[in-house]
Amino acid sequence: MHILIVDDEPMVRSSIARVVTALGEPYAAYEADDGEDAIAMIQKEPIDLVITDIRMPAVDGLQLAEIVRRLYPHIRVVLLSGYSEFEYALSALHSGVYEYLLKPASKDSLLNLIFKVHEELQQEKAQDLLGRLRENSVMEKRVQELLYGLPVPHADKDLFPDFHSLAVFVIRAETTELPPRSLRFAMKNVIEELLGKAGKAAVIVEDSHLVGVLFASADLGTNGYCDEVSGEISKVLAQLYRVATTIRYSAGSGGLDELGLLYVEGMRRLSGMDAYSTEADVQTEREEWHRLVKITLKWIEEEYAGELTLASAAQRLFVNPNYLSVLIKSQTDMTFTQHLVRVRIGNAKQMLAETQLKIYEICEKVGYADQAYFSRLFKASTGMTPYEYREKVTL
């Protein structure tokens, strides 16, 4: 805590400064003999508390308090006043002055004041930290949603920093078993710090890998920087945690909506597909993406009544579920679940129109065990309950 004592009487200044200095860390005392010197000191040092006499030449205590209130509102100002100035000092409390002390101020009154301000500052710092952690947590959640092609609520867009370019780093630990979750979160903090040198970073911890998103404040230019920071991340993680990592990245200069595609590209590279350079190879790559999506959609059409899930489809294709999820969304503008619901409800409509099966039987045949849940999905998709739909199409 940095305390500035302002008084044109050297003995008064030094007396208060000795009280502060005797406290040791984290307290530090600074001195100024008038308001002008005090302003110059505030511009150079991170002052938390100003203890100032009222009567001083040039800029007096009240003028100093007004300047501090206007330019440095986080700094608390305490007035030192004689008994004859008591009413004058008291009225200043309404002008943003934190408190006043009668001269000569006792050691106990000074200590009580200093400890009170220090406690308030600690509470404010804790609240600020908690607020930043909450904001970072929400931003990370929104980043994760963008990676998977989900829209971000308009109200949360202000959480994202201004940036010139984007880079997505996909990081996988090369171990027979994944590191414990606690270690993955420790790795997250290191990655966040290293990426944060070039802007604002958000790191997402997945089950099989970590994703570092860098909102770079400058143009990343060529891939030189990304190569450099990837190497630094690998080196530091190996030194700190003895974890060997494979890192792949993809960079761009577009907007937030580009994150999903950058993530797909990073995951593709992590999966072993080399970067393509020629137009023909780019077409081959797109055909590979299309093949994975086409196979998945074919399975949905054929196996909708069973226990097909995104995870099981990804396992059969030997790709990461998140990668497959983003790929389907980027290629079709629909998620895996939306496709599955579409096929199931479509087949349910056909059965309702063409068979005499009971609704609970149709529910089971299209893959739902809960009839109430099936009815809600059906109505959300068609605007009618299964019973209402059957009544309409069989009239």
Side-chain angles (χ1 to χ4, degrees), residues 63-105:
Q63 290 172 318
L64 174 60
E66 174 58 27
I67 293 171
V68 170
R69 183 190 66 78
R70 185 161 35 88
L71 300 181
Y72 308 96
H74 64 283
I75 298 177
R76 288 158 172 79
V77 177
V78 172
L79 294 178
L80 288 172
S81 67
Y83 185 77
S84 61
E85 301 162 333
F86 176 75
E87 292 296 332
Y88 188 42
L90 193 60
S91 65
L93 292 178
H94 301 293
S95 303
V97 172
Y98 179 76
E99 204 169 302
Y100 64 87
L101 291 174
L102 284 174
K103 296 174 68 174

Short mmCIF file of all heavy atoms in Angstrom, two decimals, residues 63-105:
data_model
loop_
_atom_site.label_atom_id
_atom_site.label_comp_id
_atom_site.label_asym_id
_atom_site.label_seq_id
_atom_site.Cartn_x
_atom_site.Cartn_y
_atom_site.Cartn_z
N GLN A 63 -7.88 21.83 -2.89
CA GLN A 63 -7.67 21.82 -4.34
C GLN A 63 -7.04 20.50 -4.80
O GLN A 63 -7.43 19.93 -5.82
CB GLN A 63 -6.76 23.00 -4.74
CG GLN A 63 -7.44 24.36 -4.59
CD GLN A 63 -6.45 25.50 -4.80
OE1 GLN A 63 -5.31 25.44 -4.33
NE2 GLN A 63 -6.89 26.52 -5.52
N LEU A 64 -6.08 20.02 -4.00
CA LEU A 64 -5.44 18.74 -4.31
C LEU A 64 -6.48 17.61 -4.28
O LEU A 64 -6.51 16.75 -5.16
CB LEU A 64 -4.32 18.45 -3.31
CG LEU A 64 -3.65 17.07 -3.42
CD1 LEU A 64 -3.01 16.89 -4.78
CD2 LEU A 64 -2.61 16.92 -2.30
N ALA A 65 -7.34 17.64 -3.27
CA ALA A 65 -8.37 16.61 -3.15
C ALA A 65 -9.30 16.61 -4.35
O ALA A 65 -9.69 15.54 -4.86
CB ALA A 65 -9.17 16.83 -1.87
N GLU A 66 -9.64 17.78 -4.85
CA GLU A 66 -10.52 17.89 -6.01
C GLU A 66 -9.84 17.35 -7.27
O GLU A 66 -10.46 16.65 -8.08
CB GLU A 66 -10.93 19.35 -6.21
CG GLU A 66 -11.74 19.63 -7.47
CD GLU A 66 -13.02 18.82 -7.56
OE1 GLU A 66 -13.56 18.43 -6.50
OE2 GLU A 66 -13.48 18.57 -8.70
N ILE A 67 -8.56 17.68 -7.44
CA ILE A 67 -7.81 17.19 -8.60
C ILE A 67 -7.71 15.66 -8.57
O ILE A 67 -7.92 14.99 -9.58
CB ILE A 67 -6.41 17.82 -8.64
CG1 ILE A 67 -6.51 19.32 -8.91
CG2 ILE A 67 -5.54 17.14 -9.71
CD1 ILE A 67 -5.21 20.07 -8.75
N VAL A 68 -7.41 15.13 -7.39
CA VAL A 68 -7.28 13.67 -7.24
C VAL A 68 -8.63 13.01 -7.51
O VAL A 68 -8.71 11.98 -8.18
CB VAL A 68 -6.76 13.31 -5.84
CG1 VAL A 68 -6.86 11.80 -5.60
CG2 VAL A 68 -5.32 13.78 -5.67
N ARG A 69 -9.71 13.58 -6.96
CA ARG A 69 -11.04 13.00 -7.15
C ARG A 69 -11.40 12.93 -8.63
O ARG A 69 -11.99 11.96 -9.11
CB ARG A 69 -12.09 13.83 -6.41
CG ARG A 69 -13.51 13.27 -6.49
CD ARG A 69 -14.52 14.26 -5.96
NE ARG A 69 -14.60 15.44 -6.79
CZ ARG A 69 -15.25 15.52 -7.96
NH1 ARG A 69 -15.87 14.46 -8.44
NH2 ARG A 69 -15.27 16.64 -8.65
N ARG A 70 -11.01 13.97 -9.38
CA ARG A 70 -11.37 14.06 -10.79
C ARG A 70 -10.49 13.17 -11.68
O ARG A 70 -10.99 12.52 -12.59
CB ARG A 70 -11.27 15.53 -11.23
CG ARG A 70 -11.73 15.81 -12.64
CD ARG A 70 -12.05 17.29 -12.83
NE ARG A 70 -11.18 18.15 -12.07
CZ ARG A 70 -9.99 18.61 -12.52
NH1 ARG A 70 -9.57 18.26 -13.72
NH2 ARG A 70 -9.25 19.42 -11.78
N LEU A 71 -9.18 13.14 -11.39
CA LEU A 71 -8.24 12.43 -12.27
C LEU A 71 -7.87 11.03 -11.78
O LEU A 71 -7.54 10.16 -12.59
CB LEU A 71 -6.96 13.26 -12.44
CG LEU A 71 -7.14 14.65 -13.05
CD1 LEU A 71 -5.78 15.34 -13.18
CD2 LEU A 71 -7.80 14.55 -14.43
N TYR A 72 -7.92 10.83 -10.47
CA TYR A 72 -7.50 9.54 -9.90
C TYR A 72 -8.53 9.10 -8.86
O TYR A 72 -8.26 9.08 -7.65
CB TYR A 72 -6.11 9.66 -9.25
CG TYR A 72 -5.06 10.26 -10.15
CD1 TYR A 72 -4.76 11.63 -10.09
CD2 TYR A 72 -4.38 9.47 -11.08
CE1 TYR A 72 -3.80 12.19 -10.92
CE2 TYR A 72 -3.42 10.03 -11.91
CZ TYR A 72 -3.15 11.38 -11.84
OH TYR A 72 -2.19 11.92 -12.67
N PRO A 73 -9.74 8.78 -9.29
CA PRO A 73 -10.83 8.51 -8.34
C PRO A 73 -10.59 7.30 -7.44
O PRO A 73 -11.26 7.15 -6.42
CB PRO A 73 -12.04 8.29 -9.25
CG PRO A 73 -11.48 7.93 -10.58
CD PRO A 73 -10.19 8.67 -10.68
N HIS A 74 -9.65 6.44 -7.79
CA HIS A 74 -9.37 5.26 -6.96
C HIS A 74 -8.53 5.62 -5.73
O HIS A 74 -8.44 4.83 -4.78
CB HIS A 74 -8.63 4.20 -7.77
CG HIS A 74 -7.27 4.65 -8.23
ND1 HIS A 74 -7.09 5.52 -9.29
CD2 HIS A 74 -6.02 4.36 -7.76
CE1 HIS A 74 -5.80 5.73 -9.46
NE2 HIS A 74 -5.13 5.05 -8.55
N ILE A 75 -7.92 6.81 -5.72
CA ILE A 75 -7.06 7.22 -4.59
C ILE A 75 -7.91 7.86 -3.50
O ILE A 75 -8.72 8.75 -3.78
CB ILE A 75 -5.97 8.20 -5.05
CG1 ILE A 75 -5.06 7.54 -6.08
CG2 ILE A 75 -5.15 8.69 -3.85
CD1 ILE A 75 -3.98 8.47 -6.65
N ARG A 76 -7.71 7.43 -2.29
CA ARG A 76 -8.41 8.03 -1.15
C ARG A 76 -7.61 9.21 -0.63
O ARG A 76 -6.37 9.14 -0.53
CB ARG A 76 -8.61 7.00 -0.04
CG ARG A 76 -9.66 5.94 -0.41
CD ARG A 76 -9.48 4.68 0.41
NE ARG A 76 -10.57 3.73 0.22
CZ ARG A 76 -10.68 2.91 -0.82
NH1 ARG A 76 -9.78 2.94 -1.80
NH2 ARG A 76 -11.71 2.08 -0.91
N VAL A 77 -8.32 10.31 -0.27
CA VAL A 77 -7.67 11.51 0.25
C VAL A 77 -8.15 11.76 1.67
O VAL A 77 -9.37 11.80 1.93
CB VAL A 77 -7.98 12.74 -0.63
CG1 VAL A 77 -7.34 13.99 -0.02
CG2 VAL A 77 -7.47 12.52 -2.04
N VAL A 78 -7.20 11.94 2.58
CA VAL A 78 -7.51 12.25 3.99
C VAL A 78 -6.92 13.62 4.31
O VAL A 78 -5.75 13.90 4.00
CB VAL A 78 -6.91 11.18 4.93
CG1 VAL A 78 -7.07 11.61 6.39
CG2 VAL A 78 -7.57 9.83 4.69
N LEU A 79 -7.72 14.48 4.90
CA LEU A 79 -7.28 15.83 5.23
C LEU A 79 -6.76 15.90 6.66
O LEU A 79 -7.37 15.35 7.59
CB LEU A 79 -8.43 16.82 5.07
CG LEU A 79 -8.96 17.05 3.65
CD1 LEU A 79 -10.13 18.01 3.70
CD2 LEU A 79 -7.86 17.58 2.73
N LEU A 80 -5.65 16.60 6.83
CA LEU A 80 -5.14 16.94 8.16
C LEU A 80 -5.56 18.39 8.45
O LEU A 80 -5.31 19.28 7.63
CB LEU A 80 -3.61 16.85 8.19
CG LEU A 80 -2.99 15.45 8.16
CD1 LEU A 80 -1.48 15.55 8.00
CD2 LEU A 80 -3.33 14.70 9.44
N SER A 81 -6.20 18.60 9.56
CA SER A 81 -6.68 19.96 9.85
C SER A 81 -6.49 20.28 11.31
O SER A 81 -6.55 19.40 12.19
CB SER A 81 -8.16 20.09 9.48
OG SER A 81 -8.94 19.28 10.34
N GLY A 82 -6.25 21.56 11.56
CA GLY A 82 -6.23 22.04 12.94
C GLY A 82 -7.66 22.19 13.45
O GLY A 82 -8.62 22.13 12.67
N TYR A 83 -7.77 22.41 14.75
CA TYR A 83 -9.11 22.49 15.34
C TYR A 83 -9.90 23.64 14.73
O TYR A 83 -11.10 23.52 14.49
CB TYR A 83 -9.00 22.67 16.85
CG TYR A 83 -10.35 22.65 17.54
CD1 TYR A 83 -11.00 21.44 17.76
CD2 TYR A 83 -10.96 23.83 17.95
CE1 TYR A 83 -12.24 21.41 18.36
CE2 TYR A 83 -12.21 23.81 18.56
CZ TYR A 83 -12.84 22.59 18.77
OH TYR A 83 -14.07 22.56 19.38
N SER A 84 -9.21 24.75 14.43
CA SER A 84 -9.90 25.91 13.88
C SER A 84 -10.44 25.64 12.47
O SER A 84 -11.31 26.35 11.98
CB SER A 84 -8.95 27.12 13.84
OG SER A 84 -7.84 26.83 13.02
N GLU A 85 -9.87 24.63 11.80
CA GLU A 85 -10.30 24.30 10.44
C GLU A 85 -11.25 23.11 10.41
O GLU A 85 -11.58 22.60 9.34
CB GLU A 85 -9.06 23.98 9.58
CG GLU A 85 -8.05 25.13 9.51
CD GLU A 85 -6.69 24.63 9.06
OE1 GLU A 85 -6.39 23.44 9.29
OE2 GLU A 85 -5.93 25.43 8.50
N PHE A 86 -11.68 22.68 11.60
CA PHE A 86 -12.45 21.44 11.69
C PHE A 86 -13.72 21.50 10.85
O PHE A 86 -14.01 20.60 10.08
CB PHE A 86 -12.80 21.17 13.16
CG PHE A 86 -13.67 19.96 13.34
CD1 PHE A 86 -13.14 18.68 13.23
CD2 PHE A 86 -15.02 20.10 13.62
CE1 PHE A 86 -13.94 17.58 13.41
CE2 PHE A 86 -15.83 19.00 13.80
CZ PHE A 86 -15.28 17.73 13.69
N GLU A 87 -14.50 22.57 11.01
CA GLU A 87 -15.74 22.70 10.25
C GLU A 87 -15.46 22.75 8.75
O GLU A 87 -16.20 22.19 7.93
CB GLU A 87 -16.50 23.96 10.68
CG GLU A 87 -17.05 23.90 12.10
CD GLU A 87 -18.11 22.81 12.25
OE1 GLU A 87 -18.78 22.49 11.24
OE2 GLU A 87 -18.26 22.28 13.36
N TYR A 88 -14.37 23.40 8.39
CA TYR A 88 -13.96 23.51 6.99
C TYR A 88 -13.65 22.12 6.43
O TYR A 88 -14.08 21.74 5.34
CB TYR A 88 -12.73 24.41 6.94
CG TYR A 88 -12.27 24.81 5.56
CD1 TYR A 88 -13.17 25.16 4.57
CD2 TYR A 88 -10.90 24.84 5.28
CE1 TYR A 88 -12.72 25.55 3.31
CE2 TYR A 88 -10.45 25.22 4.02
CZ TYR A 88 -11.37 25.58 3.05
OH TYR A 88 -10.93 25.96 1.81
N ALA A 89 -12.90 21.33 7.21
CA ALA A 89 -12.54 19.98 6.77
C ALA A 89 -13.77 19.08 6.70
O ALA A 89 -13.91 18.25 5.81
CB ALA A 89 -11.51 19.38 7.73
N LEU A 90 -14.67 19.25 7.65
CA LEU A 90 -15.88 18.44 7.70
C LEU A 90 -16.73 18.65 6.44
O LEU A 90 -17.27 17.70 5.87
CB LEU A 90 -16.68 18.78 8.95
CG LEU A 90 -17.82 17.83 9.32
CD1 LEU A 90 -17.28 16.43 9.57
CD2 LEU A 90 -18.56 18.34 10.54
N SER A 91 -16.82 19.90 6.00
CA SER A 91 -17.61 20.19 4.80
C SER A 91 -16.99 19.56 3.56
O SER A 91 -17.68 19.25 2.59
CB SER A 91 -17.75 21.70 4.60
OG SER A 91 -16.48 22.27 4.32
N ALA A 92 -15.67 19.34 3.60
CA ALA A 92 -14.97 18.76 2.45
C ALA A 92 -15.32 17.29 2.26
O ALA A 92 -15.13 16.74 1.18
CB ALA A 92 -13.47 18.91 2.61
N LEU A 93 -15.82 16.66 3.31
CA LEU A 93 -16.20 15.25 3.18
C LEU A 93 -17.28 15.06 2.12
O LEU A 93 -17.40 14.00 1.51
CB LEU A 93 -16.70 14.71 4.52
CG LEU A 93 -15.64 14.57 5.63
CD1 LEU A 93 -16.30 14.07 6.91
CD2 LEU A 93 -14.54 13.62 5.22
N HIS A 94 -18.08 16.11 1.91
CA HIS A 94 -19.13 16.04 0.90
C HIS A 94 -18.58 16.22 -0.51
O HIS A 94 -19.31 16.06 -1.49
CB HIS A 94 -20.20 17.11 1.18
CG HIS A 94 -20.84 16.97 2.52
ND1 HIS A 94 -21.64 15.90 2.86
CD2 HIS A 94 -20.78 17.76 3.63
CE1 HIS A 94 -22.06 16.03 4.11
NE2 HIS A 94 -21.55 17.14 4.60
N SER A 95 -17.31 16.56 -0.62
CA SER A 95 -16.69 16.76 -1.93
C SER A 95 -15.82 15.58 -2.34
O SER A 95 -14.96 15.72 -3.21
CB SER A 95 -15.83 18.04 -1.90
OG SER A 95 -16.62 19.14 -1.53
N GLY A 96 -16.02 14.45 -1.71
CA GLY A 96 -15.28 13.26 -2.10
C GLY A 96 -14.07 12.97 -1.25
O GLY A 96 -13.34 12.00 -1.51
N VAL A 97 -13.81 13.79 -0.22
CA VAL A 97 -12.69 13.50 0.69
C VAL A 97 -13.05 12.30 1.55
O VAL A 97 -14.16 12.19 2.06
CB VAL A 97 -12.38 14.73 1.57
CG1 VAL A 97 -11.36 14.38 2.65
CG2 VAL A 97 -11.86 15.88 0.71
N TYR A 98 -12.12 11.37 1.68
CA TYR A 98 -12.39 10.11 2.37
C TYR A 98 -12.61 10.30 3.86
O TYR A 98 -13.55 9.77 4.44
CB TYR A 98 -11.23 9.15 2.12
CG TYR A 98 -11.38 7.81 2.79
CD1 TYR A 98 -12.23 6.85 2.26
CD2 TYR A 98 -10.66 7.51 3.94
CE1 TYR A 98 -12.37 5.61 2.86
CE2 TYR A 98 -10.79 6.26 4.54
CZ TYR A 98 -11.64 5.32 4.01
OH TYR A 98 -11.79 4.10 4.61
N GLU A 99 -11.73 11.08 4.49
CA GLU A 99 -11.83 11.27 5.94
C GLU A 99 -10.95 12.45 6.34
O GLU A 99 -10.22 13.01 5.53
CB GLU A 99 -11.35 9.99 6.67
CG GLU A 99 -11.94 9.85 8.08
CD GLU A 99 -11.68 8.46 8.67
OE1 GLU A 99 -12.10 7.47 8.03
OE2 GLU A 99 -11.06 8.40 9.74
N TYR A 100 -11.01 12.83 7.61
CA TYR A 100 -10.15 13.90 8.12
C TYR A 100 -9.55 13.45 9.44
O TYR A 100 -10.10 12.60 10.15
CB TYR A 100 -10.94 15.20 8.31
CG TYR A 100 -12.01 15.09 9.37
CD1 TYR A 100 -11.72 15.31 10.71
CD2 TYR A 100 -13.31 14.72 9.03
CE1 TYR A 100 -12.70 15.18 11.69
CE2 TYR A 100 -14.28 14.58 9.99
CZ TYR A 100 -13.97 14.81 11.32
OH TYR A 100 -14.93 14.66 12.28
N LEU A 101 -8.40 14.04 9.76
CA LEU A 101 -7.75 13.80 11.04
C LEU A 101 -7.38 15.15 11.64
O LEU A 101 -6.90 16.05 10.94
CB LEU A 101 -6.46 12.97 10.86
CG LEU A 101 -6.62 11.51 10.45
CD1 LEU A 101 -5.24 10.90 10.18
CD2 LEU A 101 -7.34 10.71 11.53
N LEU A 102 -7.58 15.28 12.93
CA LEU A 102 -7.19 16.52 13.62
C LEU A 102 -5.69 16.50 13.90
O LEU A 102 -5.13 15.47 14.28
CB LEU A 102 -7.96 16.66 14.93
CG LEU A 102 -9.42 17.10 14.82
CD1 LEU A 102 -10.09 17.07 16.19
CD2 LEU A 102 -9.51 18.50 14.22
N LYS A 103 -5.05 17.65 13.68
CA LYS A 103 -3.62 17.77 13.99
C LYS A 103 -3.46 18.20 15.46
O LYS A 103 -4.25 19.00 15.96
CB LYS A 103 -2.97 18.81 13.08
CG LYS A 103 -2.98 18.43 11.61
CD LYS A 103 -2.47 19.54 10.72
CE LYS A 103 -0.99 19.80 10.90
NZ LYS A 103 -0.49 20.78 9.90
N PRO A 104 -2.45 17.67 16.09
CA PRO A 104 -1.50 16.64 15.64
C PRO A 104 -2.15 15.27 15.71
O PRO A 104 -2.76 14.91 16.73
CB PRO A 104 -0.34 16.76 16.63
CG PRO A 104 -0.98 17.26 17.89
CD PRO A 104 -2.13 18.14 17.47
N ALA A 105 -2.06 14.49 14.65
CA ALA A 105 -2.70 13.17 14.60
C ALA A 105 -1.91 12.19 15.46
O ALA A 105 -0.68 12.13 15.38
CB ALA A 105 -2.74 12.67 13.16
#
